[in-house]
Amino acid sequence: MTPWLNPSRSRSSHTKSVNAMLQIAQQPLTKLYPPRPELAIPPKFIADYDNGKFAGQLKLNGSCGVLHFSAGSEPVLLEREDLIKMSVQQPLEYKKVFRKNFKSAIVIGEYMNKNKKGFDGQPFNHKFVINDIISLDGVQLTGKSFEDRMKILDKILIKPIAKQNFLYQYSENIYRCENILVGIKEAYENNIAIDMVEGIVVKSINSILHDCHNKKNLNSKWQFKFRKPTKCYQF
């Protein structure tokens, strides 16, 4: 069973006018910071979170990005620290993977720009891997649970065309993290040898999104990271 990945096949019958699309395009970007885990927990405790209350997502070694997607304008990918435009080396087919049943969205993900090797041993570079959504149609999703937000992603993304381990693929360069509900410990142990995998992030399924206008916010309270030991990072 694939959790929270049942994209609706319905299409909006509403046709947006040119003026409405231009109005959306002219709106300034909303400055929202991505919800990110701050607390790193030693991997020996990961089984304590494999209890049905948390969803696990692979923690990838890239650069956290904030994607602004709007009808009538080109998508913009911002880096997480200062929300400035990120340099993208390869075309990211955003318009191919999002349905036309919404006006705008702010999606969080990892832009893979460190030339790390993927599951097949080849560089997994210049890809964008989605892991959350924090705004839809100009409304910040505060108060929405993590599970609710994953269901929103299901509705606005097309059906995936393939799956690579714990990543769903939507186009050549757009992916999405699978939400691992059972077997988080095994997923961690089976993937830490992969070059591009730093570990696993666990997110409380019922936790709600807090305001994202400030870089430091309460969203670090409902998610935790388990990082694999490296020469530079030991517990």
Side-chain angles (χ1 to χ4, degrees):
M1 178 180 177
T2 303
W4 310 326
L5 202 63
N6 300 302
S8 171
R9 296 186 179 182
S10 63
R11 297 291 189 272
S12 173
S13 59
H14 175 65
T15 302
K16 301 179 181 66
S17 68
V18 174
N19 289 336
M21 293 175 69
L22 289 175
Q23 184 179 7
I24 294 168
Q26 292 169 358
Q27 292 177 352
L29 295 179
T30 304
K31 298 292 186 179
L32 296 179
Y33 290 89
R36 303 186 73 246
E38 294 183 0
L39 180 62
I41 300 177
K44 65 181 180 180
F45 296 112
I46 195 169
D48 295 341
Y49 295 83
D50 200 352
N51 56 14
K53 297 179 180 180
F54 291 85
Q57 295 179 338
L58 291 185
K59 187 181 189 309
L60 302 177
N61 191 351
S63 298
C64 180
V66 181
L67 171 66
H68 287 251
F69 183 91
S70 299
S73 63
E74 287 300 313
V76 178
L77 184 62
L78 307 179
E79 60 92 13
R80 68 177 176 87
E81 284 292 338
D82 300 310
L83 298 179
I84 60 177
K85 191 172 181 179
M86 189 180 293
S87 175
V88 176
Q89 301 300 318
Q90 296 289 340
L92 299 175
E93 315 86 351
Y94 301 121
K95 294 183 179 180
K96 292 183 179 180
V97 305
F98 286 108
R99 299 182 188 273
K100 295 186 172 82
N101 56 358
F102 68 103
K103 295 179 181 178
S104 65
I106 301 178
V107 176
I108 309 302
E110 200 79 4
Y111 180 57
M112 306 302 292
N113 57 357
K114 298 182 179 179
N115 205 34
K116 295 295 182 178
K117 295 178 181 178
F119 302 117
D120 59 359
Q122 299 300 312
F124 191 83
N125 221 24
H126 304 303
K127 319 277 188 191
F128 186 67
V129 184
I130 297 167
N131 58 48
D132 206 344
I133 180 171
I134 60 175
S135 178
L136 184 69
D137 289 338
V139 179
Q140 190 180 183
L141 298 176
T142 49
K144 293 288 187 181
S145 70
F146 175 75
E147 182 176 2
D148 288 338
R149 301 196 308 279
M150 294 303 99
K151 290 178 179 178
I152 290 172
L153 278 176
D154 292 343
K155 292 179 180 179
I156 68 173
L157 286 167
I158 64 171
K159 295 182 66 175
I161 59 175
K163 184 181 179 185
Q164 295 185 26
N165 209 339
F166 290 101
L167 299 181
Y168 290 99
Q169 183 177 6
Y170 292 84
S171 67
E172 182 179 356
N173 295 315
I174 305 292
Y175 291 75
R176 176 185 174 186
C177 284
E178 179 181 1
N179 295 297
I180 307 164
L181 300 180
V182 178
I184 296 175
K185 180 175 181 290
E186 290 76 9
Y188 171 85
E189 293 172 343
N190 294 337
N191 285 276
I192 56 174
I194 306 299
D195 185 37
M196 71 173 183
V197 177
E198 287 187 320
I200 272 188
V201 174
V202 296
K203 303 180 178 183
S204 173
I205 295 172
N206 294 322
S207 61
I208 63 171
L209 183 72
H210 297 279
D211 181 61
C212 298
H213 281 96
N214 296 316
K215 187 182 301 185
K216 294 291 185 180
N217 52 62
L218 295 175
N219 292 308
S220 62
K221 305 298 183 182
W222 47 261
Q223 53 184 327
F224 313 100
K225 54 188 175 183
F226 296 88
R227 295 182 60 176
K228 65 183 179 185
T230 65
K231 291 181 181 179
C232 300
Y233 190 90
Q234 295 285 341
F235 284 98

